[in-house]
Amino acid sequence: QGQLVESGGGSVQAGGSLRVACVPSERIFGNYNMAWFRQPPGKEREFVAAITWNGQRTKYTDSVKGRFTISIDNAKKTMYLQMNSLKPEDTAVYYCNTVYSIEEASPSSAFTIWGQGTQVTVSS
């Protein structure tokens, strides 16, 4: 059992929607700011969105603003990334992780062992 478990990925056509989920361990949820990252095929892992531990603030990379929404469901102890108007360039393996600052979140600043991620494929 990993400390971070991603799910919800799949294959969709351009313009479609998908919601991926991240279930962190109990010691993580509610104690740290969190973020979503993605790694397109043949490219480096990159920042997508972040949210404070209490859900009061969020941050998005420019390419997904207005299309993606990061959120936390306290009842389910799960973090989500709702992805709308998907584009082929959104194709990647999506990962979640803990970060100290949502303003400076980056793959190198994530401090929990990475999970397996969930594959999102968008066809044109």
Side-chain angles (χ1 to χ4, degrees):
Q1 299 291 320
Q3 296 185 74
L4 298 167
V5 180
E6 300 94 343
S7 64
S11 299
V12 298
Q13 294 186 332
S17 299
L18 200 62
R19 185 177 72 166
V20 290
C22 169
V23 179
S25 64
E26 186 174 328
R27 74 177 187 82
I28 290 176
F29 190 84
N31 293 316
Y32 305 100
N33 297 327
M34 299 193 70
W36 281 100
F37 302 88
R38 67 186 180 187
Q39 184 167 18
K43 299 181 179 180
E44 295 294 314
R45 190 170 294 164
E46 63 185 24
F47 168 76
V48 177
I51 188 167
T52 52
W53 69 271
N54 56 9
Q56 67 179 238
R57 292 188 294 119
T58 59
K59 181 178 174 61
Y60 300 88
T61 190
D62 288 343
S63 65
V64 308
K65 288 180 179 178
R67 299 190 298 121
F68 291 10
T69 301
I70 187 171
S71 65
I72 290 176
D73 184 323
N74 290 312
K76 296 183 179 296
K77 296 185 177 180
T78 301
M79 178 175 71
Y80 298 97
L81 183 67
Q82 177 66 48
M83 303 179 286
N84 298 325
S85 301
L86 283 163
K87 304 175 180 179
E89 50 263 47
D90 293 319
T91 294
V93 175
Y94 283 70
Y95 301 88
C96 61
N97 214 308
T98 52
V99 297
Y100 292 114
S101 171
I102 69 167
E103 302 296 336
E104 300 182 28
S106 67
S108 61
S109 72
F111 60 87
T112 295
I113 295 175
W114 298 95
Q116 295 298 101
T118 185
Q119 177 73 51
V120 171
T121 301
V122 184
S123 60
S124 60

